[in-house]
Amino acid sequence: MIARRGGPWWCGATQTSSHIIADMDDTHPNARRVQTELLRACTPERRLAMALELTDWVLQVSRRAIASARPDLSPQEQSLLFVEIHYGRELADRLRSNLKSRKGS
């Protein structure tokens, strides 16, 4: 974990995003150059498709991690935990409330 004055980097510490990435970059400069060239050669449509595929994969990994870490929760409770982790407690609480009111109707 990279911690700086003001708390950990993911809590808005003083480091910039590019600095954090540089600290965590273990890619050889030549490999980085080739990766950059390959990405630049892609069409915008292909770059968008790659970003969407990566996003989908990350969301799936997150859901599987929650299910693995909290098998005691129902699928709905796991989904609410996913919302809380990724979008905040306030939204998760509002969603939980909305789901309860729908169930009562």
Side-chain angles (χ1 to χ4, degrees):
M1 172 172 64
I2 302 169
R4 298 287 185 262
R5 185 172 17 98
W9 60 267
W10 63 83
C11 293
T14 57
Q15 282 189 316
T16 63
S17 296
S18 60
H19 186 77
I20 291 167
I21 291 169
D23 283 353
M24 295 174 29
D25 189 3
D26 63 351
T27 305
H28 190 277
N30 290 337
R32 171 73 60 217
R33 181 184 48 74
V34 170
Q35 287 176 336
T36 301
E37 289 172 7
L38 289 171
L39 283 172
R40 286 182 178 155
C42 291
T43 65
E45 293 83 6
R46 178 64 187 133
R47 287 196 305 264
L48 176 60
M50 291 168 65
L52 294 173
E53 289 170 10
L54 179 60
T55 299
D56 185 53
W57 178 79
V58 168
L59 293 174
Q60 288 178 28
V61 168
S62 177
R63 288 185 176 279
R64 283 196 302 262
I66 291 168
S68 176
R70 295 299 309 271
D72 56 306
L73 298 179
S74 71
Q76 184 178 55
E77 290 170 326
Q78 289 175 357
S79 291
L80 288 165
L81 181 56
F82 174 89
V83 170
E84 183 174 332
I85 290 168
H86 293 282
Y87 303 105
R89 182 175 298 232
E90 182 183 337
L91 182 60
D93 288 345
R94 288 188 356 226
L95 179 56
R96 189 174 286 110
S97 176
N98 184 279
L99 290 169
K100 282 180 184 177
S101 68
R102 282 185 182 186
K103 192 174 183 180
S105 299

